[in-house]
Amino acid sequence: MDAPGTWLFPGRRAGQPFRPDHLSALLNKVGVPTAAARGAAIRQQLLEMPAPVVADALGYHDKTTTRLRSETGGTWSRYAPGDHARSPAGWTPRGTGDS
């Protein structure tokens, strides 16, 4: 069981957080436009990360994030999705002493 006060936005039920729709309604009631804030947050992420990464992280379609990136003026146009943990054959990282 969680200690009292561990939720940033505690809900009405003991030990449960606010439901997202309830929190959104409360924020809208006090003048915070949640839809606009969400859109602004996504666009900011697209300026900092490639569209496919943002799409995967947030559950968006990659065409949607690519369109939003174009609208925001993002420059991640040459991102190659896939497994970047492997090095290409014959590739040696810089600074390994091979000169």
Side-chain angles (χ1 to χ4, degrees), residues 35-98:
R38 179 179 175 160
I42 292 168
R43 284 174 173 80
Q44 181 61 40
Q45 286 180 336
L46 288 167
L47 290 173
E48 298 173 7
M49 295 184 288
V53 174
V54 175
D56 188 45
L58 300 179
Y60 280 78
H61 193 279
D62 58 20
K63 288 183 180 180
T64 302
T65 55
T66 300
R67 178 182 51 81
L68 290 171
R69 180 199 36 88
S70 297
E71 292 173 3
T72 60
T75 58
W76 288 97
S77 62
R78 300 198 193 293
Y79 174 73
D83 182 11
H84 297 282
R86 298 179 299 135
S87 298
W91 180 79
T92 307
R94 293 182 186 173
T96 60
D98 296 340

